[in-house]
Amino acid sequence: MVNAIAGGKNAAEAEWIESYVIPKFVEAQKAKGVEVDVKFEPQGVDDEDYKTKIALDLSSKKGADVLGIDGIWTGEFAQAGYIKPLNQVAKDADSWDGWEQMTDAVQQALSFDGERYGVPQGSDGRVIYYNKTLFEKAGLPTDWQPTSWDEILEAGRALKKVDGVTPIQLNAGTAMGEATSMQGYLPMLMGTNQKLWADGKWYGDTQGMRDVLGLYKTIYIDEGLGDPILQQEASGRDTSFAEFAAGKIGILFEGDYFWRSVINPAEGVGTAPMADRDTVVGYAKIPAMKPGSGINGQDFVSMSGGTGRVLNPNSKNPDLAWELLAFMNSPEAFEARAAGTLSISPRKDVNDKLLASDKMLTFVNTEVLPITAYRPGLAEYPEVSAKLQQATLDVVSGTSPEDAAKSFADALPSIVGGEDNIAQG
Amino acid sequence: MSTSTAPASGTRRSRRRAEDVAGLGTKRALVFVTPALLVIALFLLFPALWTIYLGMTNFRLTGLAAANTEFVGLDNYAQALGDKSFWNSLWLTVIFVGFSGVLGQTLLGFTLAWSTRRIVGWARTLLESVVLAAWVIPGSVHAFLWIALLDRRGGTLNALLGTDGKAWLIEHPMTIIVIFNIWVGTAFSMQLFSSALSAVPPSQMESARMAGASGWEQLRDVVLPNIRGHVLTNTLMITLWTFNTFTPYLLTAGGPNGKTEILSVYIYKTAIPGGQLGFGAALSMIMLLINLGIALLYMRIGRSKK
């Protein structure tokens, strides 16, 4: 089961599973004299709902044999005992030749406490998308790479003069869910060289947090460069996609998923396809607050996550399930998958061969992934993230950044297990 | 219900016979009711007990607390009662139930029933069909219709009022879900009151009219005393339904910023997306107790009026 469905969310993946993975796997098994019957359970729901669904499946010892998950869930699922290290579920997992193609950093995405729990499916990075047509109208360069937050705001001010355009879409609020943290708050925080978590400690009310919340205030409250109502609508994220595709949003912060899936013009792939994507949509690295002010002294920053697939420990045929999982991660399978939509695969051999055909993904692979950052893979992260989303919502609906940061800091101890786990100062 | 006077020993035998109307005897009667009792135990009693138990643990959807669930006694209840957002959602629920259920549905339902009481024949059938349509359509369809009506971009209401770009669900979330719920539930009150009104003895109405009572006086002195029981039943059912309804979630998802996070939505958000299943179970128990309280209150009012 994966969160993908034909004609809907992640349609290309659903299509690949139905028309490549299942028939080819059945065929390959038949050649070995094994009759298998593979069923695909498509889902097309919000990521949070999908997570609840598989957590409930796993807690009641049910569910599909192979499950697609977000890498950030690995820790909490492992701690709950819902998933087990791969080599405990399937005896051949450690000897798989595919591991040699994946760097340790990539494997980390689906690992917890030094054990592999699943096979990474790929990585991604956050960038700035902008609409070149609107940039032209606003008298801005169509070959744009801002080097500070101020330059983003300047572009926003120029775009504001174009009729019917929302200049900047930086995710905020709880309705956007984790998209607020990944595409909004956290990349900005990385640009202030402030950590969210390090060496066993969480960070509460910091200067970096106040700077980021101040940026939200500038965009949504002080200068009206963003649409604060959109941030609170129940389906705001999908609406923001549609608005960008319709040429009504100038600057949008998103992951490469937006490029390869949402606005992908290939038939039946994107939910908001843009036929002129390749000529109209520009992309740039996210700048730090000021040059050199980012994490590790960087000029540019990003956030990455990774998805992957795990085996259900309750599977009746764990070894067969592993064969299916390994098959799904074979170079041939990745190549077939790329025929629908290309994405950054976890395999070096596949990336070397395929990525050259897509400039955007090459850009992410070579320019963004080397400077990216990851979320702390801890069970308390989702709750901390929810409070970060609330802090941005507070600011967007009128609270001062100082008060919003203070509320966050006040809520933190009860989530992360007391003041001892919070960095002072 | 216990009877108010204890039976004298001499009457006990005849009483017993009177209770055993079917003449089955205890054993055979037990055989008959056992399947029903099993069903009740399995589907009502067990889940209730399980909820009570869960509510006393720190059970979570994922993470360490999912694997090693600990018994925490009444901690969840203490946490809920000390939690601002719990009281906030309870307050929102009171507003929601008060305006949409008790006031809106009852008053509008009665007004509709009263003002259309003389309509008969095909016109009556048509009226009832229209009103009932709102009641029989599934909640998810309601929500879809209302979202289309209220949508910020190209919604029907904005097109009608010329208020393009007005985000009704964001700007007036509580008002919207109150109106929404009145629309959904008024049909029930109207039907119930219609049948109640038809049961008011025509002779009494006739006498009142002959005595020169105004419409309001007829209503106050003849109709209301006759349908008091119906009013009470209607209010009780509507209060409980509105208290427990989850449909507003489909419109606003509890937002914006928790402004429509009524108790049922708050519990859902805590337990399912929030993953705090133990805490959510405790909240459900609190909700159940409030339900019981409401029912007892109405029953007491009903008895005292008799």
Side-chain angles (χ1 to χ4, degrees), chain A residues 77-392:
Chain A
F77 277 39
Q79 282 186 331
Y82 294 162
I83 54 175
K84 296 209 155 57
L86 277 179
N87 56 17
Q88 289 181 25
V89 183
K91 58 182 188 303
D92 296 334
D94 278 344
S95 56
W96 184 48
D97 58 5
W99 297 120
E100 293 160 20
Q101 296 295 335
M102 298 182 191
T103 62
D104 282 347
V106 169
Q107 292 186 28
Q108 275 307 308
L110 269 284
S111 295
F112 182 69
D113 269 356
E115 301 265 16
R116 289 184 200 124
Y117 279 81
V119 183
Q121 197 187 326
S123 190
D124 58 6
R126 269 74 206 153
V127 297
I128 306 179
Y129 293 97
Y130 59 97
N131 185 311
K132 291 182 184 173
T133 314
L134 296 179
F135 265 52
E136 251 180 324
K137 279 189 196 161
L140 292 162
T142 52
D143 189 14
W144 184 59
Q145 176 57 68
T147 58
S148 66
W149 290 359
D150 282 338
E151 287 185 27
I152 298 174
L153 293 172
E154 274 167 34
R157 287 174 198 125
L159 285 162
K160 202 182 173 186
K161 296 187 184 111
V162 183
D163 229 19
V165 169
T166 305
I168 301 175
Q169 162 59 30
L170 178 66
N171 286 347
T174 48
M176 293 271 179
E178 184 62 13
T180 290
S181 306
M182 267 310 251
Q183 269 89 258
Y185 182 85
L186 289 175
M188 296 300 120
L189 188 72
M190 296 302 118
T192 66
N193 195 20
Q194 175 64 56
K195 295 179 171 75
L196 176 64
W197 180 90
D199 305 322
K201 304 272 188 190
W202 292 89
Y203 289 79
D205 182 0
T206 59
Q207 184 56 45
M209 174 169 215
R210 288 189 295 269
D211 286 338
V212 175
L213 294 176
L215 176 68
Y216 275 100
K217 183 166 179 281
T218 308
I219 292 176
Y220 287 105
I221 303 291
D222 295 345
E223 302 200 23
L225 299 174
D227 180 353
I229 294 171
L230 180 68
Q231 303 304 321
Q232 302 178 48
E233 287 185 82
S235 59
R237 190 167 178 224
D238 288 334
T239 308
S240 76
F241 292 163
E243 296 265 286
F244 185 89
K248 291 179 181 165
I249 289 178
I251 297 170
L252 178 85
F253 293 75
E254 263 297 336
D256 57 71
Y257 159 75
F258 181 69
W259 174 272
R260 60 183 153 80
S261 190
V262 177
I263 55 170
N264 192 330
E267 195 177 338
V269 174
T271 47
M274 288 178 80
D276 48 5
R277 175 192 73 174
D278 295 353
T279 51
V280 167
V281 180
Y283 43 85
K285 285 181 285 184
I286 301 173
M289 187 173 167
K290 295 181 193 74
S293 76
I295 192 166
N296 306 321
Q298 288 168 198
D299 295 335
F300 300 96
V301 292
S302 185
M303 288 298 294
S304 289
T307 55
R309 300 191 189 94
V310 296
L311 290 182
N312 187 335
N314 312 306
S315 169
K316 290 196 191 76
N317 301 299
D319 291 318
L320 197 58
W322 164 253
E323 282 190 50
L324 173 63
L325 183 56
F327 175 76
M328 290 174 90
N329 290 285
S330 64
E332 298 77 29
F334 273 111
E335 281 171 38
R337 172 78 176 80
T341 54
L342 192 58
S343 62
I344 300 170
S345 95
R347 297 185 67 118
K348 279 182 295 200
D349 51 356
V350 175
N351 285 344
D352 289 347
K353 193 170 168 187
L354 295 179
L355 282 191
S357 70
D358 189 303
K359 270 171 66 185
M360 159 67 193
L361 292 177
T362 306
F363 173 77
V364 174
N365 196 34
T366 57
E367 306 266 321
V368 175
L369 289 186
I371 55 161
T372 197
Y374 295 86
R375 293 165 290 185
L378 302 164
E380 55 267 35
Y381 170 77
E383 263 190 271
V384 175
S385 175
K387 293 293 176 200
L388 291 173
Q389 295 157 29
Q390 183 65 44
T392 61

Side-chain angles (χ1 to χ4, degrees), chain A residues 52 76-77 79-80 82 227 230 232-233 239 383 390 393, chain B residues 60-64 66-67 152-153 167 170 256-257 272:
Chain A
T52 304
E76 33 174 339
F77 277 39
Q79 282 186 331
Y82 294 162
D227 180 353
L230 180 68
Q232 302 178 48
E233 287 185 82
T239 308
E383 263 190 271
Q390 183 65 44
L393 175 61
Chain B
R60 297 186 63 103
L61 189 62
T62 61
L64 281 176
R152 191 177 157 209
R153 300 162 201 84
I170 305 290
N257 205 4
I272 304 299

Side-chain angles (χ1 to χ4, degrees), chain B residues 179-217:
Chain B
I179 296 173
F180 169 75
N181 197 53
I182 293 175
W183 179 77
V184 168
T186 299
F188 173 79
S189 295
M190 180 191 158
Q191 288 295 83
L192 195 137
F193 285 129
S194 288
S195 71
L197 287 176
S198 65
V200 174
S203 57
Q204 290 185 20
M205 293 295 285
E206 195 65 21
S207 319
R209 263 199 298 276
M210 301 278 278
S214 68
W216 163 247
E217 283 164 343

Side-chain angles (χ1 to χ4, degrees), chain B residues 226-247:
Chain B
N226 267 304
I227 64 165
R228 191 192 289 132
H230 294 87
V231 174
L232 205 65
T233 310
N234 176 69
T235 316
L236 171 66
M237 294 182 84
I238 281 181
T239 307
L240 292 180
W241 280 339
T242 312
F243 191 77
N244 294 317
T245 186
F246 188 68
T247 329

